Amino acid sequence: MSEEKRGFFARLRDGLSKTRANIVHGIDSVFSGFSSIDEAFYEELEEVLIMGDLGVGATEEILDRLRRQVKEQGIRKPEDCRQLLTDSIKEQMHVGETAYDFEQEQSVVFVIGVNGVGKTTSVGKLAGMLKAQGRRVLIAAADTFRAAAGEQLSEWANRAGVDVIGGREGSDPSSVIFDAVNAAKARHIDVLLCDTAGRLHNKKNLMEELKKMNRILDREFPGAHRENLVVLDGTTGQNALVQAREFAKVTDLTGIILTKMDGTAKGGIAVAVQSELGIPVKYIGVGERMEDLQKFDADQFVNALFDRKEEEEGGRIEEP
Amino acid sequence: MAFESLTDKLQNVFKNLRSKGRLTQDDVRAALKEVRMALLEADVNFRVVKQFVKSVEERAIGQDVMNGLNPGQMVIKIVNEEMTALMGSETTEIALQPGKALTVILLCGLQGAGKTTAAAKLAGKFQQKGKKVLLAACDVYRPAAIEQLQRNGEKQGTEVFSMGTGHKPVNIARAAVEHAGKNGCNILILDTAGRLHIDEEMMAELSEIKENVTVHQTLLVVDAMTGQDAVNVAREFDEKVGVDGVILSKMDGDTRGGAALSIKAVTGKPILYVSVGEKLSDLEQFYPDRMASRILGMGDVLTLIDKVSANLDIDADREKEMAAKMKKGKFDFDDYLESMKQMRNMGGLSGILGMFPGRAVPGMGDLESMVDEKQLARTEAIVLSMTPQERRNPKLLNPSRKHRIARGAGVDISTVNRFIKQFEQSQKMMKQLPGMLGSKGGRKGKFRFPF
């Protein structure tokens, strides 16, 4: 286990260090390349943040705050800006204390998102994680649309050692949800994980289908703690904001799973989503194995993005 | 919607500058600030944007503003031209081996880009052209990836070659080529596992396939929603594996798709196809010039026009007839049914609305949610509940007939009344809009700047 653990941390660090190499390189050249804090300096900073997929809106907000603080605190040197900048993003990305309560309660986790972001994989990993904590887990395979989605989920469920309630390809996903809720009640399940079919957020009919599933969960399982997670691909650009906004109309989103963070993408869009919609990132996906889903730690995330000192200490991340 | 149309923004910038005859440096700078913002919001890579804006600026300063255009439009014209120059103006066809010789196509990309779906869609496309296609499942990692390809192959009527998950992808590829040769296939599509461009081992696997099997076309499948990282992905795949062309997936979302521009600018590789829906037929040729206006937020009016023409071409006579009827305001319920059918052929109302320059018309987004497709089905039921005579001559409709129709369609009488009233109004409107329909092709130039 400890070997696997190291493997995981190594990969997380690898992933984030690539992130870091890109952003930090930029940040460094900005902080050291300028001798005074002027417009050109801010412009350069803006470029760096936008390159990190933070988006124009979030970038402007962050820079406005920075400008204000620089003025208030009378900061002169660009290097002093670094701490201000990381602190301000950290603060923004902070996950609330009750964020993971659902893991300990009887709860329903509703996982939604566009196609190909890694919903099924995330559900599989979540199942494994919760099962390892000794929770009784059941998965509802409500992706009845994509060819062989059920098989993919069953494979994950086997690995995690949990049961799956499914339906035939092409059947109404809401009926799967309904059956799964009843099964969850009958079997005294602690956590019911609902995997749904990927859908683009601008497809009205498919979004209505999602609303229906949400209604059924509300109606049939009112006592359960609801956790509604939207899965966002870490490589996605500004469209992830629109996605989060649209999925938030379907259900009351309580968190984000940010996937594919083991690549070179910077995942900065998470900052943008948090800034504009106030939905916290709760988990990040950093690989394809069961253990590669990690609770999100704002300090760690931002430190990893900006601070080279933290590089050696990636292993400090707590195992869930 | 987060994005305001660039068109709108530029109109605002230039509101006070209408009378000027020449683009000054300040004009251009002010306009290009908005252009830059629009490109960044569309996820075009920052460096690409920088370079692009610079070249537009150089060209634009000092230019005469053409008659009939305001400065904002003039800048957009230059921007559009430059962008088309960058994206290429020609559509690129995938290069196949001559005659009946076997062409091997390798699909690669990140996880979740849509490779397996794209493979099945491509197969369908080639089969339509009379090719014999073989799909090979080389993804031995993702659970149920092979099943997914098999299901999709079944739906397309394409044979799928698979050896399970117990073999190395390179061996599967080799065996697939052999199998394709024996069975007289013209096209072999190798579907590979999603992989990270920085995963040396997995990238080496692709190179290994290419070393052992003659691959004629290596296509990179990229999610159209990819952000700034698109450049890294495309460059790495191109350097490590060698890419001949790109398929952009998930273009039916509302992303501007700036990744397309980044990829083209950085790798110079053509984008061959765009994937525009969940159905296995939803794969389209890529039109660079249209992509340019989509990235800038000017919509894809051209694609719409083409789709309309393609559908109407099927029955050119009917089109003329219909146009004539519309001009005279003699559009009846039969024609209404017909046009609804055609609309469905074009991918439904949402498909069409998606192609309009969404934010150029305020409230366009609302329109989509207002006119939902169920409502249309209900309206259709109303028309279908009419007798043929009533459909041809709406004047016949009296209260008793309306009641019968309401019962037949399962709707309230007020709904029927409202619909008929709307129909009459639109008849009147048609009369006032002569020349809206009927001419195609020749008007294309006009649609390029829809303001």
Side-chain angles (χ1 to χ4, degrees), chain B residues 40-261:
Chain B
L40 288 176
E41 280 179 342
D43 289 321
V44 180
N45 183 271
F46 193 89
R47 303 232 164 87
V48 176
V49 172
K50 209 169 173 181
Q51 211 176 342
F52 178 78
V53 166
K54 208 174 131 212
S55 67
V56 173
E57 188 179 312
E58 277 165 12
R59 238 195 86 185
I61 293 174
Q63 278 246 348
D64 289 330
V65 175
M66 283 162 72
N67 269 346
L69 294 183
N70 64 34
Q73 289 166 329
M74 190 64 207
V75 173
I76 281 283
K77 183 176 173 337
I78 297 170
V79 165
N80 198 55
E81 281 166 12
E82 283 289 311
M83 195 175 265
T84 309
L86 191 60
M87 296 279 289
S89 48
E90 307 272 301
T91 58
T92 314
E93 294 281 345
I94 186 165
L96 300 179
Q97 295 304 106
K100 290 200 164 170
L102 178 69
T103 307
V104 180
I105 300 171
L106 176 82
L107 294 186
C108 59
L110 298 181
Q111 288 93 344
K115 289 171 297 301
T116 305
T117 310
K121 286 179 177 176
L122 262 184
K125 197 119 205 146
F126 289 127
Q127 275 171 185
Q128 265 178 8
K129 289 183 186 160
K131 305 279 184 194
K132 191 169 176 203
V133 186
L134 180 68
L135 285 162
C138 300
D139 182 355
V140 296
Y141 306 99
R142 186 171 62 114
I146 296 177
E147 284 86 341
Q148 189 188 350
L149 190 66
Q150 278 167 341
R151 291 294 162 74
N152 284 338
E154 246 168 63
K155 284 182 201 159
Q156 295 283 44
T158 312
E159 192 190 344
V160 176
F161 180 86
S162 117
M163 291 163 64
T165 54
H167 292 266
K168 281 179 72 180
V170 60
N171 294 334
I172 299 175
R174 206 183 285 137
V177 171
E178 206 171 295
H179 184 90
K182 263 187 218 150
N183 290 277
C185 296
N186 314 114
I187 298 201
L188 169 64
I189 302 173
L190 303 171
D191 177 35
T192 64
R195 65 203 69 221
L196 279 172
H197 49 294
I198 48 166
D199 188 332
E200 300 290 342
E201 220 172 287
M202 290 293 279
M203 294 302 274
E205 182 191 283
L206 287 180
S207 314
E208 199 187 350
I209 293 178
K210 287 189 75 166
E211 278 158 23
N212 286 281
V213 169
T214 314
V215 174
H216 301 98
Q217 288 281 322
T218 305
L219 304 185
L220 178 66
V221 184
V222 184
D223 185 332
M225 298 183 279
T226 311
Q228 299 282 325
D229 201 40
V231 166
N232 297 332
V233 174
R235 194 190 288 129
E236 290 290 308
F237 269 96
D238 191 29
E239 278 172 11
K240 289 182 184 155
V241 186
V243 169
D244 300 300
V246 176
I247 297 177
L248 265 191
S249 65
K250 303 179 208 171
M251 275 292 286
D252 48 334
D254 52 6
T255 178
R256 292 267 177 86
L261 188 66

Side-chain angles (χ1 to χ4, degrees), chain A residues 18 22 46-47 50-51 53 56 60 114-116 145-148 151-152 155-156 159 169 198-206 233 235-239 242-243 245 260 262-265 288, chain B residues 1-3 36-37 40-41 43 45-47 50 110-112 141-144 147-148 151-152 155 194 196-198 223 225-229 232 250 252-255 277-278 368-369 372-373:
Chain A
K18 263 149 234 139
N22 285 318
E46 183 199 13
E47 291 184 12
I50 285 175
M51 282 287 270
D53 275 329
V56 181
E60 272 179 2
V114 301
N115 315 63
F145 180 80
R146 195 185 55 159
E151 282 88 336
Q152 187 187 351
E155 178 58 37
W156 277 106
R159 289 183 201 173
E169 207 177 303
R199 62 202 74 222
L200 287 172
H201 50 284
N202 58 348
K203 302 271 162 96
K204 190 172 161 49
N205 296 345
L206 295 178
D233 183 332
T235 60
T236 304
Q238 299 315 298
N239 199 248
V242 189
Q243 290 170 22
R245 203 177 290 135
K260 306 187 197 171
D262 44 341
T264 47
E288 290 185 314
Chain B
M1 204 52 66
F3 313 120
R36 175 177 170 275
M37 205 72 127
L40 288 176
E41 280 179 342
D43 289 321
N45 183 271
F46 193 89
R47 303 232 164 87
K50 209 169 173 181
L110 298 181
Q111 288 93 344
Y141 306 99
R142 186 171 62 114
E147 284 86 341
Q148 189 188 350
R151 291 294 162 74
N152 284 338
K155 284 182 201 159
L196 279 172
H197 49 294
I198 48 166
D223 185 332
M225 298 183 279
T226 311
Q228 299 282 325
D229 201 40
N232 297 332
K250 303 179 208 171
D252 48 334
D254 52 6
T255 178
E278 307 233 357
E368 181 163 5
S369 53
D372 85 65
E373 316 228 331

